[in-house]
Amino acid sequence: MSSSTTPSHNNKKKSSTYPDALFIEPLGPPHKQTLILLHGRGSTASSFAPPLLATLLSSPFPSSTSNYTFQQRLPHTKFIFPTASKRRALSFNRSVITQWFDNYTPLTLETTTNREEAMYLGLRETSLMLHRLLKSEVREIGGENVVLGGLSQGCAAALVAGLLWGGEALGAVVGLCGWLPLAGRLMEVLEERSGDGDEISFGGKGEDDDDDDSDGGGNIEEKGGRIDVDTPALRAIKFLEDELDFPHPLPPPPSSSSSSHPTLPFHQTPVFLAHGSLDEKVPIDVGMQGRDCLRALETETEWMEEEGQGHWYSGKMLERLIGFLEERGVVEVGRGHGRDAVPEELDDDGEGAAKNGNMLDGQGEDSDVDNRLRKFTLTVGGAAEKDECRTGKE
């Protein structure tokens, strides 16, 4: 299996290698949406994807008593599951584990800033990798139909990549049981006062950006590389860019029909966050800090707290996630779900396919699920690894 390598901006640091992402094609045509979903620390795509896709949810049809899997509720959705690179974890005696970035544990409001510089390289490299995936999907179906998200540390990485994204506004960014890295310091920047007319300079194209990319907010060379604007949100993103040594596209200039100051893509990208009240790995107050920071950054952020839920997603969370996407037009309300949406082109088993030589294998009939569709388990190069929430990692 081939792999992708993210170039390191610091020549003294060896770049990280990311295994091929797992692509799950829609159950049936047409392809309408893409969800890019990141696993938690210590897990892999092949471990994270099967139980998530097979989670049983209620029927979208009031007259039906059947259950439908998460995947069946989104039959026109392509799912992309990247796998994190292997990095040494400071909190685990420098053991080599899959993680999007290194971070200190246990997580509390007091420890989120401990050794935070250890996060920087991983956050930068992971964001660049995710931006390549986003650009490909945006070109194919448009930004409003692409969703980025993740679980636990995958949520944290997705939120940072979403804030740094410079292309078309996405359909949504979603996170389960996660947090926002550097939220405390971002809030400090947001609360700082600055002089009127200060100039904020945003960097040019990234090392792995294509020369013909038009996804960014403008050509920095044509606009001189600087803009005469200063808003709290732009200052905060510039701070994040500088901390991670991350090149960020120039925001578009204001227009008479828009707000009085330039905005970045995340301003037009809604965010959904869900968290369990009894989360023992990422305490809920850490998740709420991220929520508050995102709202201070002027994003539309919905927060769901599930009473009694620990550090894992639930059917209720996934139900609300789908509802959130429906309400914002990312997926169609009342259409494209379950048996009524199974296209005639699907065979009797309703099988789809996974790219990169990985097949979707049906694992038998489920009496609660329509017989024309099956609950899927992914078989990817051998036995699946234990997920991070069952092994004490996050």
Side-chain angles (χ1 to χ4, degrees), residues 1 27 43 53-54 149 197 221 225 227-228 273 393:
M1 180 181 291
L27 290 177
S43 187
L53 295 178
E221 294 181 357
I227 55 174
D228 185 17
L273 300 176
K393 302 183 180 70

Side-chain angles (χ1 to χ4, degrees), residues 237-310:
I237 297 306
K238 182 61 170 66
F239 163 80
L240 184 61
E241 169 202 335
D242 289 344
E243 289 297 289
L244 303 186
D245 195 15
F246 194 92
H248 199 289
L250 190 70
S255 64
S256 57
S257 61
S258 64
S259 62
S260 60
H261 58 77
T263 59
L264 294 171
F266 69 82
H267 285 123
Q268 288 84 43
T269 301
V271 178
F272 172 78
L273 300 176
H275 218 104
S277 66
L278 300 182
D279 194 320
E280 71 283 7
K281 303 298 181 184
V282 184
I284 193 168
D285 56 353
V286 176
M288 293 171 69
Q289 181 190 49
R291 174 204 65 187
D292 294 343
C293 182
L294 290 168
R295 288 176 176 172
L297 284 166
E298 305 173 26
T299 66
E300 175 199 348
T301 302
E302 177 173 316
W303 172 261
M304 173 187 175
E305 178 179 338
E306 184 169 350
E307 191 66 30
Q309 178 69 18

